[in-house]
């Protein structure tokens, strides 16, 4: 790949830089918000005011720093932390260092456009013809976020499949099957979607069945609409239509054609949107996204016949258009004959899973995973390395807090023989670990917070003050029982505490309403400390995520039979914060189907 010049040595050097930075700063990320007041977290780790932190983080480090002679009295620091007390004394230095140790600044990521261009260039050099795909609008039945993810990733997966000369795709953690269905219908690939939830599998199967029906109708209407629109600009064909009596059929076929339309909400940062499908005057409103999807696809769409015009009377442009459509139909027919289909399967998969036990017709394939949770993402990479039939991999992980760690003995234990982090031998040799709270921090979305899509501070504040109450009045405040989401139902702090005590099965009669409110009033003046501290966590989030992803990239670089590997930004981080894919290709000589 021309655009990828990162060697294993370079990646290891960047990993060293990030781990050194995190060795100083990781205590901030690992501090638990619940214990913020009971453990006096602010005074333990921070020696500046909350206002100083919020100002430095909010300015994006664009504030002018004081001249060095005015800062000479400051203690020696490393990344803003005092070398003696280990407390934060220079917020601007920390913010700048965090920016320098995040993925965009490390110079190791490849753009999606460069990856696609390299794959196309290599395919062009090999003489492989460009495949024709039928236009299909994913935003007709998905939220803007999901549509963006599916379209961006499916094009990359299709190019990987073409590059490797394979027709099968294995979608691990396929969920509702959006990506699998799109790959099958748009790119004529045979896709096996594997998910551990039978509910997801059944839903994906039904969704794909109706999507296939919609796809065929959609393409016919698009072509028919184009035919009619062009006919209205042709006096010759208008005369033919009048002779055949077709001009009066406006109710059956309008200029734009009967089709399913969607209207997205303006707010693209929400995880779902309201879509109003309209077909021949019918509409469905205020439904959940999944119900809208099935509702839209199940509508019987009118399929009008195009007017028959003798070839001798067609214009040159019309003859060329019909020739192009005929070629598209033949390409689709070939795709159907190759078995382009989506097959949902239910199974819990690990690195040791034998794919042939799940897929009888298994051939060489591309393995993909869109937002695979926790250990499933590293397991996907392990399967890619271990299975000779897997030619390429494209993995986008999420839910880092669900990763198991080999060297965090106080954290989540490995359910299998291997853990999710670290994956590379390089970091395993260093006994590297992050900690669950730090991995939870890695899930925070810096880009969204920067635009005001902030953290729900009041709910965190309520929980932290509740912890003080449990410490002061109940010996079981370290109970394994979880408070859960009682904040959304609470009308006030007093109501919140009482609901929580009942959930924990504790005696709420110990405290009067005024006692509870006094706790709120006492700590309310320190709420800005919690806000500032959580903004520090947000600042460190890209660095922790970067270490996890660099570990996965390093793992692929360590494999002798992996010819190419890269970190590629597939998505807009505002729409989809977990936007990086780990991509790998095997040497052709090392890949043989047994």
């Amino acid at each position: 790949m021309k655009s990828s010049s990162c060697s294993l040595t370079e990646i290891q050097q960047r990993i060293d830089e990030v781990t050194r930075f995190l060795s100083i700063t990781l205590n901030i990320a690992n501090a638990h918000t619940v214990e913020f007041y009971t453990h006096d977290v602010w005074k333990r780790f921070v020696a500046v005011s909350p206002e100083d932190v919020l100002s430095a983080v909010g300015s994006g480090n664009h504030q002018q720093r004081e001249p060095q002679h005015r800062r000479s009295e400051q203690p020696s620091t490393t990344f803003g932390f005092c070398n003696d007390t280990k407390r934060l004394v220079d917020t601007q230095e920390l913010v700048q260092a965090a920016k320098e140790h995040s993925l965009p600044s490390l110079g190791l990521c490849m753009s999606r456009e460069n990856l696609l261009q390299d794959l196309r260039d290599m395919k062009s050099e090999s003489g492989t013809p460009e495949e024709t795909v039928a236009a299909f609008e994913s935003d007709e039945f998905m939220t803007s976020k999901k549509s963006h993810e599916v379209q961006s990733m499916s094009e990359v997966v299709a190019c990987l499949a073409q590059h490797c000369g394979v027709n099968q795709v294995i979608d691990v953690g396929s969920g509702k099957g959006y990506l699998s269905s799109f790959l099958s219908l748009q790119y004529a690939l045979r896709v096996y979607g594997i998910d551990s939830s039978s509910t997801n599998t059944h839903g994906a199967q039904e969704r794909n069945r109706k999507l296939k029906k919609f796809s065929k109708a959609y393409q016919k209407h698009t072509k028919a609409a184009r035919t009619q629109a062009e006919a209205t600009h042709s006096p010759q064909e208008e005369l033919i239509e009048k002779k055949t009596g077709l001009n009066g059929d406006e109710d059956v076929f309008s200029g734009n054609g009967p089709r399913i339309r969607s209207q997205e909400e303006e707010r693209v940062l929400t995880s779902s949107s309201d879509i109003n499908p309209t077909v021949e005057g019918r509409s469905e409103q205020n439904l959940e996204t999944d119900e809208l999807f099935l509702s839209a696809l199940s509508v019987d769409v009118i399929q009008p016949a195009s007017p028959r015009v003798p070839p001798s009377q067609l214009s040159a442009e019309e003859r060329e258009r019909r020739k192009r459509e005929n070629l598209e139909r033949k390409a689709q027919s070939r795709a159907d004959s190759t078995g382009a289909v989506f097959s949902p399967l239910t199974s819990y998969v690990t690195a040791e899973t034998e794919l042939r036990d799940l897929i009888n017709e298994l051939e060489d394939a591309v393995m993909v995973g869109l937002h695979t949770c926790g250990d499933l993402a590293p397991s996907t990479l392990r399967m890619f390395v271990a299975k000779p039939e897997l030619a390429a991999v494209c993995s986008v992980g999420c839910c880092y807090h669900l990763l198991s760690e080999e060297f965090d003995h106080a954290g989540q234990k490995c359910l299998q023989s291997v853990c999710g982090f670290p994956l590379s031998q390089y970091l395993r040799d260093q006994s590297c670990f992050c900690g669950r709270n730090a991995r939870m921090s890695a899930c925070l979305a810096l880009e969204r917070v920067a635009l005001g899509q902030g953290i729900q501070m009041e709910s965190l504040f309520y929980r932290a003050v509740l912890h003080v109450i449990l410490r002061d009045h109940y010996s079981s405040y370290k109970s394994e029982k979880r408070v859960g989401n009682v904040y959304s139902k609470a009308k006030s702090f007093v109501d919140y505490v009482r609901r929580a005590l009942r959930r924990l099965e504790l005696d709420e009669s110990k405290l009067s309403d005024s006692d509870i409110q006094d706790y709120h009033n006492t700590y309310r003046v320190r709420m800005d400390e919690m806000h500032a501290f959580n903004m520090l966590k947000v600042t460190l989030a890209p660095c922790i995520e970067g270490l996890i992803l660099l570990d996965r990239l390093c793992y692929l670089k360590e494999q002798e039979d992996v010819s190419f590997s890269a970190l590629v930004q597939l998505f807009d981080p505002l729409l989809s914060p977990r936007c990086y894919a780990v991509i790998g290709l095997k040497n052709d000589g090392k890949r043989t189907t047994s």
Side-chain angles (χ1 to χ4, degrees), residues 271-288:
S271 60
S272 63
S273 60
D274 294 329
I275 308 173
N276 299 327
T278 304
V279 181
E280 296 297 316
R282 303 182 213 171
S283 66
E284 301 267 358
Q285 295 185 356
N286 300 324
L287 297 174
E288 295 295 332

Side-chain angles (χ1 to χ4, degrees), residues 484-518:
N485 185 26
V486 300
Y487 172 79
S488 61
K489 303 174 183 178
K491 300 177 181 179
S492 65
F493 179 70
V494 173
D495 186 32
Y496 170 85
V497 172
R498 297 215 174 277
R499 287 175 179 269
L501 292 176
R502 289 194 293 270
R503 177 71 63 86
L504 295 173
E505 298 179 353
L506 297 175
D507 182 9
E508 59 177 300
S509 65
K510 287 186 176 182
L511 297 168
S512 65
D513 287 355
S514 61
D515 292 334
I516 296 173
Q517 189 61 40
D518 285 344

Side-chain angles (χ1 to χ4, degrees), residues 339-583:
V341 70
F342 166 40
S343 302
L345 306 170
T346 301
S347 178
Y348 180 82
V349 295
T350 67
E352 291 76 27
T353 299
E354 283 296 334
L355 296 175
R356 292 190 180 280
D357 293 340
L358 301 176
I359 306 171
N360 295 329
E361 307 84 1
L362 182 64
E363 301 171 359
D364 286 355
V366 176
M367 176 162 278
V368 302
L370 174 55
H371 291 152
T372 47
C373 292
D375 285 348
L376 186 55
S379 290
T380 300
L381 300 180
R382 285 192 172 103
M383 278 191 280
F384 164 67
V385 170
K387 312 299 181 185
E389 58 268 21
L390 298 179
V393 67
C394 180
S395 171
V396 181
C398 69
C399 303
Y400 302 127
H401 60 292
L402 298 179
L403 280 171
S404 59
E405 290 199 60
E406 183 175 358
F407 301 105
D408 185 7
H409 301 297
Q412 177 180 343
K413 302 298 181 183
C414 300
L415 298 178
Q416 305 297 325
S417 58
V418 291
C419 291
F421 182 85
L423 188 61
S424 68
Q425 191 61 47
Y426 186 70
L427 280 180
R428 292 186 69 199
D429 289 342
Q430 300 179 31
S431 300
C432 182
F433 78 96
C434 289
R436 187 180 188 278
N437 289 335
R439 286 182 277 109
M440 180 75 79
S441 298
C443 299
L444 297 172
L446 176 61
E447 292 81 6
R448 287 186 175 182
V449 173
L451 289 183
Q453 301 290 321
I455 305 169
Q456 177 55 263
M457 286 306 307
E458 188 176 64
S459 64
L460 297 175
F461 171 72
Y462 277 16
R463 183 62 184 88
V465 179
L466 170 66
H467 209 60
V468 177
I469 294 174
L470 295 176
R471 179 198 63 185
D472 292 350
H473 298 277
Y474 302 91
S475 59
S476 59
Y477 79 100
K478 291 185 179 181
S479 170
E480 293 298 321
K481 294 180 181 179
R482 301 178 66 87
V483 172
N485 185 26
V486 300
Y487 172 79
S488 61
K489 303 174 183 178
K491 300 177 181 179
S492 65
F493 179 70
V494 173
D495 186 32
Y496 170 85
V497 172
R498 297 215 174 277
R499 287 175 179 269
L501 292 176
R502 289 194 293 270
R503 177 71 63 86
L504 295 173
E505 298 179 353
L506 297 175
D507 182 9
E508 59 177 300
S509 65
K510 287 186 176 182
L511 297 168
S512 65
D513 287 355
S514 61
D515 292 334
I516 296 173
Q517 189 61 40
D518 285 344
Y519 275 96
H520 177 277
N521 297 340
T522 299
Y523 287 95
R524 183 65 181 82
V525 295
R526 296 180 57 188
M527 189 174 175
D528 57 348
E529 294 178 355
M530 177 176 284
H531 183 197
F533 196 82
N534 277 284
M535 291 305 295
L536 292 177
K537 285 190 170 190
V538 171
T539 301
L540 296 175
C543 307
I544 304 167
E545 180 182 33
L547 178 62
I548 293 171
L549 296 178
L550 287 177
D551 170 56
R552 295 173 183 179
L553 178 61
C554 185
Y555 169 76
L556 291 186
K557 290 289 184 183
E558 292 172 344
Q559 313 305 316
E560 292 183 358
D561 61 340
V562 176
S563 61
F564 167 78
S565 55
L567 271 179
V568 181
Q569 182 175 333
L570 289 189
F571 312 135
D572 179 346
L574 283 175
L575 280 173
S576 182
R578 306 281 76 77
C579 60
Y580 292 101
V582 180
I583 291 177

Side-chain angles (χ1 to χ4, degrees), residues 65-75 77 90 93:
R65 297 177 65 84
E66 296 181 8
Q68 185 63 39
H69 69 273
R70 293 181 60 185
R71 296 167 52 85
S72 58
E73 69 277 6
Q74 293 288 338
T77 60
D90 191 330
E93 184 182 350

